[in-house]
Each structure stands twice: as C-alpha cells, then as structure tokens.
Amino acid sequence: MSRSSTTRAVTLALPLLAACSAPSPRPPEQPAAAPTGAAPSPPAAPAAPAGDARLPYPATARRPVTNEYHGTRVVDDYQWLEDGSSPEVQRWIAEQNRLTRGYLDALPMRGALRARIQEILSATSANYFALDEAGGQLFALKAQPPKQQPSLVVLRSATEPATERTLVDPEVIDPKGHTTIDWFVPSRDGKKVAVSMSEGGTENGTVRVYDVATGKETGDVVPHASSGTAGGSLAWSGDGKGFYFTRHPHPGERPPADMGFFQQIYFHKLGTPEKEDQYSFGKDFPRIAEVELTTSESGKLVHASVQNGDGGEYWHYLLDASGKWTRFADLPDKIIRARFGVDDRLYLLSRKDAPRGKVVRLSPNRLDLAQAEVVVPEGEAVIQDFLPTKARLYVQELLGGPSQVRVFDLKGKALGAVPVPPISSVRQLVRATGDDVLFRGISYTEPAAWYAYSARDGKVTKTALAMTAPVSYADVEVSREMCTSKDGTKVPVNIVRRKDTPLDGTAPALLTGYGGYGISLSPGFNPLWRLWFDQGGVLAVANLRGGGELGEAWHRGGNLLNKQNVFDDFAACAKHLIGRRFTGPARLAIIGGSNGGLLMGAQLTQHPEMYRAVVSHVGIYDMLRVELTPNGAFNVTEFGTVKDPAQFEALHAYSPYHHVKDGTAYPATLLLTGANDARVDPFHSRKMAARMQAATSGSAPILLRASGSTGHGLGTPLSEQIEEQADVFAFLFQQLGLDFPPAKGEGAPR
C-alpha cells in the first residue's frame, strides 16, 4: 500500500521490477535452500509434477458465513482462514507451503536460475538512495552486495567517495539480517541523526539517535515512532537539542485494535527518557492520520502535512517560534506537498483548479492561501515534486511516466531544463552548494546514478555514487505506445525488448501495472531482466488510471467508484500487446504487487482466458473485508467503504475473491505473501488461494507461497529475496515454456 512520507520507500513488492542487491554467495556444491521465512512444513511430500496433471491441493473446509451489506447477503466460505494465529490455519499454511515447495523445487531450471540470479546480483555495485544534505555532509542509505540490509553512511560529497563512513549497519545490530532501517533524519547541523529501525518486515519502528562524529548511540530511544499502517516522520528543532516525532499509541493507552492509528506529534528532548516526551499537537487528528514533519532552514519553523488516509487528501499546519500550531490548508485546498525555501517561505504544490499541479508561495507570517503567489502555473506536464534553492526553483515533472526537470528563478521566470536522459526517471532532487543540485536518475536500460547539475553552466556530471551492472542492455530498446481502453481513453504502455525480437506473436511477454494512490510507474532498472531478454522476452509497463502519471484527474479516474477503469486499462494493454504481435495469449504473463496484486486478482476473475500465468505479490482480494484490517482503514479514502451503499456496490462488483467462479479454467497462478505484512493482511492471499483451488477446472497450478518472517517487502533480507526471485522466474519460465540456459536459436543471445 502507499505511503506519502518522503523518508520512507514505497514498496510495491515487484521483484522483477525493483532494483535489488545480492545475497551472500553460496558455494555451488550446496543446494539452494527454501526461504528461511517459510512457515514450518510437514515432512517433504513427493515432488508435484511440473506438467499438466492437476495438483493434489490440501483439503480446505468450507464453513459458510453470511455477511449482509445494505440488504445484499454475501456468503464467505473461507472466512475462517482470516485468523492467522489459529493452529488450524497454521497447519493449512504449512500444507500449502509443502505443496508449493514440492512444485517449485521440482522445476528443472530453478537451480540454474538461482545460481545465475545470485551471480548477477553479487556482481552488482552499491546502490545509494534516500540522500539528505545536512551540515555540509551527505547522508544516504547504501545497499551493497553481499550485505543483507542497506546501511546508513555519511560522506563529504558525492564526488568524494573516499570520505564515506558507515554510521549504522543493521547487520552489526542483527547478524541474522532481519533488522532494517525504515528511515532516517539528520539534524540540520549534521551532528546527530535519528534512525527508525524495525524487524521482520513489520515496519514498526523504534527511533535511536546517533552521534555523527563518533557513530555511537546517544542513548535516546523512542519506540512506536513508525508503523506499517500510518508510517512515521521526525523533524529536528533548530538547535539540534531535540525533535518532534510521530508517536503511535503505546500499550495500554488504547484498545489493541487502535494501536496502529491515532498518530500524534510529540517532542523528545535529547538526554531525557522516553516517558518524559511532551505532547505537542494532534489530539484532534483523524483516526487514519498520516503525518510528515519537516524543519525550516532557519530551524525556527516546523511544517506538518497530515494525510487523511491514503487517498491523497491533506491538511497542513505550521509551528511558529512561539510554539503555536496554525492550520493553513484544508482538504478542499488540495495542497499535496510543501517545501521550505532557504528564506523559510513555504512553497506549495497545489492541485486546486490545476489537476496537473502548480507551485505557489506563501509567507509564514501571512498564512492566507488566498494571498498565495503563483510561481509556476499549471502546464502540460504533471508536477510531481520541486526543490527551492538560494535563487532557483527546480520542478520535477512527469510526461506520462518519464521525467523532466525544469528550472525557474524564484519569480517564476523559466530558465530552461536540466538535461536528463530520454525515457528516464528522476527519483529525487537534493540541494548541493548554492543553486547546484544532485538528482538520482534511472532508466529501463541504465542503472541508478546520482548526477550533479551545475547552475552556472547548465552541465550535468555523473558522480561517483553511480551503480554499475554486470549485464549490458546495449541490445535493448524502449518504445512507448498508446492503447485504447474500454471507454476510449488512451493509456500509455512502455515496451522494453531486445532490438532483434520478432513481431510475430511468439515472444514471451511480461506485463505489469499498478494503478492506485496517484503513484506513478516511472522507468526503472533491474539487472535480472537480462534473464528475460535472453529468452527473447518482452517487458511491458502500463501507466494505468489510478496512478499519477497524467495528473490528479488520471488518479481520480481510477479510484473509488472508478476503480474498474484500472482493470479495463490493463486488459486493453494486454490486448494491445497481442494485437501488435509482441506476444500471444499462450505466451503472456502478468505480475503485480500490493494494489497491483488487486489488479492481478481482477484480471484473473475478469479475463482468465487472456493470460498464461499470473504472479501476484502481497495482493488485496477481498474488497468487502479489507477495511476491517488496520491498514485497510487507511485505504478507505482510496477504495471506498462498504458502509456507503454506492461504494459497496462498486467494491462488490469487482472484488476478486467474490468473483472466482466454479468450473473456470484459471491460468497458472502464484500468490506470494508475508506473515508480518502490516499493509495487506496475509489472509487475502490465503482466502484467494483456497477459493481458486476449489473452483478451477483446469490443471494449471494455483500456488500459495507464504513466508513466515517477512512483510510487505521492505526489510526482506537479501538471502530471502534471492530465493523468492528464483521461485518467480522458475514459475514463469515453466509456464511459458522457456529453458534455462536458453537453447541456441530460442531466444539465446546473438
């Protein structure tokens, strides 16, 4: 599910799409182990056949429960599978894992695929992300093979990698590799850094403070500062002697069902125990508030954006030097982001009467939006983010998916554009010296790198903080086409393939999408795609409604009562790939995660004949009961609620779990989930697997892969990531009739 905070990564749980690091190399003579996070299993069953024989699915009891919504009675046969702590459910999970492991481990190419995946990822260089400048230093998270988790490092500048020091290494704290850094915030003088860490993919973070000069902990510990539901944030006071932070309820303060809600703002003074933390603001925030905090450049002001769940609606508040909080923007004002300028003025990204966004400026001494000055009006591109510097304003924009960065002076005069590579994505802008900036660029064919832009001469230079990949995509090309959805809407789809791939309908293809929360699927890089391209495979990324690629109207066209548009858009992209003969139905697979897992479920139930294989990570499938889970409540503003009659009708009309039909030949399906997932309850995958296994009339496998020690994706140790990716690749290769290594003349490199 989505999160708005810029200090937290949005994890879409798409292994074939996300850049990743490598696990520790395993000697070739040792067999590949099952995921260490898998639920305990009974003794190994005989390997399931990898052919067309129907699998011996575990017996799953049907225990009908009837729920009534506005006069509509809905029968749920598998509601009993929602209780993950039940011994009976745990036994059922173990049986499902035994079946899945028997099938996947018997696939003849899995061992070779795993070895090659490990080889590629082990040779991939360090990845620096989440950069922040403070006190004349750069702080960053660094993922470096073969480490299991990213570390927090500090260095003098992006051009001086030799000055790098490791401040926090989670593997020193937890040698098993299950502790991860959720986010970090340095003090404005760069002398201290607050770090939120969680375990097992739960994202339930405790903040610890480190002295930057020595790397030692100060002893300040603040628990319950972050969660997988409401997220978390922190803003230092100007003097660096304390910080404001998001505090979740502590045990005993609220009922257990409310522990992931009711986020408030507290202040922690360094050197004092956590029990002395002082309440600052937020008692009247809604139950589903998600707060993000920032400190002004002078340190005199603190800004708080308060999101109303996950639907993209915000309130904004300012804390002045006297300690008074003032609300200056309400939900109808449609201010979705705020940044302090060097002079403490507030720059705001507004979508009021500007669905593609405009940047306005407000004085902190006159918090009246009616008097806000428009600096950058709405244009053709979608404003995604911006960064004010001493004399310039950098505006990061989307052109339907790819990025551009335009430059303005502080009066709004256009000064040109930053030269970024074509069909690429700019993921982050960071202030450097004066008006110079750093930006992180990535494309489908080039790995992530930090670039320095010189305001004086307009030149861009790749810095030392650049990834290198052990594979080349010199033979790969990217094209962007438009397909026509059911209602006539034109939908962009990005197609990545080897230049010599024939357009005869025989190539294997993998299509993915997301379509929710205004999140944009921008170009990204993964060295493991080389495995796919070496088979002559086509990769397609759809920019569906519900996302933010074409502005807020695009988002609103795919949420709440309009969610069906997302599924229609994706189906149109699949038909486009077939119609243009990039692939054929027998060679088309789809993959998605989280909200994209809901998309996979809708495709399974609405178009089961269209796909050969479906891989769905941590997906949402029961849309009538999702809001009963902690994070599901945050998503009501995006999906809707069964309490509203019209929204119930819309949810019921597409809810994948409720549209699985007996006697349907469903495509081969692999459902993956993690027991510690705080964003999507694992019961969705359990119920969907049980229902599909009972309903399918075909012999294509319906598999559930349930990890016992991971969550939504963030914090998964690399050793477990590699096993998961080996399973996914092996499953797809088997279903699409691919060999590994590829046979000569059948997609092998030329």
Side-chain angles (χ1 to χ4, degrees), residues 394-745:
Y394 293 85
V395 179
Q396 179 183 338
E397 297 176 319
L398 285 178
L399 297 166
S403 298
Q404 69 179 18
V405 178
R406 290 195 294 159
V407 188
F408 300 84
D409 67 17
L410 296 185
K411 293 182 180 181
K413 179 183 177 181
L415 301 176
V418 175
V420 302
I423 315 183
S424 66
S425 173
V426 173
R427 298 293 176 89
Q428 189 184 356
L429 289 164
V430 178
R431 288 177 188 150
T433 303
D435 289 317
D436 295 348
V437 295
L438 298 169
F439 67 90
R440 188 171 190 255
I442 189 171
S443 74
Y444 290 117
T445 57
E446 293 292 335
W450 282 93
Y451 297 86
Y453 173 75
S454 169
R456 182 179 59 83
D457 57 20
K459 292 183 178 180
V460 167
T461 305
K462 183 185 287 189
T463 74
L465 307 186
M467 290 186 70
T468 58
V471 297
S472 170
Y473 287 166
D475 60 340
V476 172
E477 65 180 6
V478 182
S479 61
R480 187 168 168 82
E481 301 190 6
M482 303 297 288
C483 60
T484 304
S485 193
K486 185 177 182 179
D487 63 358
T489 299
K490 299 297 182 182
V491 179
V493 58
N494 306 281
I495 300 169
V496 191
R497 63 189 179 116
R498 238 171 43 196
K499 297 172 184 177
D500 61 357
T501 304
L503 292 179
D504 60 2
T506 64
L510 183 63
L511 172 64
T512 190
Y514 189 75
Y517 305 98
I519 290 174
S520 301
L521 288 193
S522 299
F525 180 87
N526 189 328
L528 296 185
W529 292 336
R530 186 71 259 178
L531 301 175
W532 192 250
F533 298 140
D534 284 349
Q535 296 278 356
V538 174
L539 176 70
V541 182
N543 295 132
L544 312 171
R545 277 178 285 185
E549 291 91 345
L550 296 172
E552 184 59 12
W554 194 250
H555 169 216
R556 296 299 172 187
N559 80 338
L560 295 174
L561 300 181
N562 299 318
K563 191 68 177 178
Q564 181 60 41
N565 287 336
V566 181
F567 313 138
D568 292 342
D569 290 355
F570 191 85
C573 291
K575 293 174 182 176
H576 180 86
L577 293 175
I578 295 170
R580 289 271 284 113
R581 296 182 63 77
F582 284 106
T583 189
R587 301 279 273 176
L588 177 58
I590 59 176
I591 187 170
S594 192
N595 172 73
L598 165 60
L599 173 63
M600 298 299 102
Q603 296 305 304
L604 276 167
T605 53
Q606 295 181 18
H607 305 283
E609 77 293 339
M610 195 180 297
Y611 310 108
R612 180 65 185 89
V614 180
V615 175
S616 186
H617 296 262
V618 294
I620 316 164
Y621 309 111
D622 185 344
M623 297 308 296
L624 303 187
R625 292 180 63 79
V626 62
E627 65 190 87
L628 301 179
T629 65
N631 200 53
F634 286 85
N635 294 295
V636 164
T637 51
E638 176 71 14
F639 293 139
T641 173
V642 297
K643 298 175 184 177
D644 179 280
Q647 292 178 356
F648 160 71
E649 291 295 335
L651 291 164
H652 192 211
Y654 70 76
S655 178
Y657 174 68
H658 297 93
H659 287 273
V660 177
K661 296 179 181 179
D662 291 331
T664 301
Y666 286 104
T669 302
L670 177 60
L671 306 174
L672 301 95
T673 189
N676 298 331
D677 193 338
R679 304 196 190 196
V680 177
D681 196 295
F683 81 62
H684 286 275
S685 296
R686 295 195 291 266
K687 293 174 67 174
M688 190 68 173
R691 182 70 187 96
M692 289 185 66
Q693 288 174 355
T696 188
S697 63
S699 58
I702 309 296
L703 301 174
L704 174 67
R705 185 188 189 278
S707 166
S709 64
T710 60
H712 199 65
L714 185 68
T716 301
L718 295 175
S719 58
E720 296 187 29
Q721 288 184 36
I722 196 134
E723 301 298 342
E724 180 176 310
Q725 297 207 27
D727 286 344
V728 170
F729 270 104
F731 179 80
L732 290 172
F733 275 39
Q734 173 69 17
Q735 295 307 316
L736 297 183
L738 307 177
D739 295 323
F740 190 83
K744 188 175 182 180

Side-chain angles (χ1 to χ4, degrees), residues 71-155:
T72 299
R73 295 166 64 85
V74 180
V75 178
D76 187 345
D77 287 336
Y78 301 108
Q79 200 164 302
W80 66 274
L81 285 173
E82 292 180 8
D83 183 4
S85 64
S86 160
E88 183 181 21
V89 173
Q90 285 292 308
R91 286 193 295 272
W92 182 88
I93 293 171
E95 291 173 357
Q96 290 286 339
N97 274 333
R98 180 179 65 171
L99 175 75
T100 299
R101 287 261 52 90
Y103 179 89
L104 295 174
D105 289 344
L107 297 179
M109 76 292 291
R110 187 188 183 280
L113 275 168
R114 186 199 176 282
R116 179 58 177 149
I117 289 169
Q118 179 165 307
E119 180 184 18
I120 290 174
L121 296 182
S122 297
T124 300
S125 68
N127 179 20
Y128 295 83
F129 58 100
L131 257 65
D132 198 359
E133 187 278 333
Q137 304 172 96
L138 283 179
F139 296 79
L141 292 179
K142 178 185 180 183
Q144 173 69 71
K147 283 188 171 296
Q148 295 289 306
Q149 299 285 354
S151 298
L152 174 61
V153 300
V154 61
L155 62 163

Side-chain angles (χ1 to χ4, degrees), residues 327-348:
R327 185 168 70 189
F328 64 88
D330 292 317
L331 301 186
D333 294 316
K334 298 184 179 180
I335 303 296
I336 67 166
R337 187 161 292 115
R339 299 273 187 264
F340 283 111
V342 174
D343 58 0
D344 280 5
R345 286 188 293 179
L346 281 162
Y347 289 77
L348 312 171

Side-chain angles (χ1 to χ4, degrees), residues 20-74:
C20 45
S21 302
S24 302
R26 177 181 285 116
E29 66 273 15
Q30 290 184 287
T36 57
S41 300
D52 293 328
R54 182 181 174 88
L55 293 177
Y57 298 116
T60 307
R62 290 195 177 198
R63 298 170 186 167
V65 175
T66 300
N67 303 302
E68 186 168 331
Y69 308 90
H70 310 289
T72 299
R73 295 166 64 85
V74 180

Side-chain angles (χ1 to χ4, degrees), residues 9-20:
V10 175
T11 305
L12 304 185
L14 300 179
L16 293 183
L17 295 176
C20 45

